[in-house]
Amino acid sequence: MFRVIAVTIGVLLSVAVVQASAATKSVRHPTITMKAGNRAGLQNVFAWDAKCRTVRVRVAAHKPKKGKVYLVKSKFAVPASLSQKCAGRKVRGYKVVFKADKNAKGTTLVTYQVSSGNVKNTTFKFRRTLKIK
């Protein structure tokens, strides 16, 4: 069994995926309020296999209005609540970050998809609304 993990501010989403079935999971998160020109961490994305090794994840973001989405490579500890066997092991992944334009004001929608090379035919679609002041 493989796990694709998406950690969001205050929310932990863990989905065990069956490889044989095609699936698309959609997730809508609470709104983030931020200042123009600042960055907001949207989510940490990482995955591991049955031997606690990093599994490559792909993140594809649609170009949002009023800012830019980018990825920051990082390492994450596997939470014990998701895997006793792999708890504390470090795996590679990405921080998904949004940077608001300097003069942006109002609301913008950020959408992106996450998939893993070892979990075929499954994509997780995320939607995040940001209020920029």
Side-chain angles (χ1 to χ4, degrees), residues 4-133:
V4 175
I5 303 302
V7 181
T8 304
I9 301 169
V11 178
L12 179 63
L13 169 69
S14 171
V15 182
V17 181
V18 178
Q19 283 185 294
S21 64
T24 299
K25 314 275 188 210
S26 293
V27 180
R28 187 173 191 117
H29 294 292
T31 300
I32 293 176
T33 302
M34 63 186 297
K35 291 184 179 180
N38 285 356
R39 294 180 181 98
L42 302 180
Q43 195 162 331
N44 296 332
V45 182
F46 55 97
W48 66 92
D49 65 14
K51 294 182 180 179
C52 307
R53 296 177 299 202
T54 296
V55 173
R56 184 172 163 233
V57 292
R58 287 180 224 50
V59 179
H62 300 281
K63 182 166 176 27
K65 296 178 180 177
K66 304 180 184 182
K68 177 183 175 183
V69 173
Y70 61 96
L71 304 176
V72 178
K73 289 182 182 181
S74 195
K75 287 191 176 184
F76 304 95
V78 175
S81 61
L82 299 176
S83 173
Q84 288 296 316
K85 177 183 174 186
C86 300
R89 291 274 189 91
K90 298 282 186 175
V91 293
R92 292 181 308 278
Y94 300 101
K95 292 179 181 185
V96 181
V97 178
F98 174 79
K99 182 176 183 198
D101 291 338
K102 202 171 193 176
N103 298 319
K105 297 281 185 221
T107 303
T108 191
L109 178 66
V110 176
T111 60
Y112 53 96
Q113 299 177 0
V114 177
S115 60
S116 172
N118 286 353
V119 184
K120 293 182 176 28
N121 302 321
T122 301
T123 301
F124 299 91
K125 293 183 179 183
F126 296 93
R127 298 169 51 94
R128 199 68 187 247
T129 302
L130 294 106
K131 288 184 184 177
I132 306 168
K133 293 183 176 187

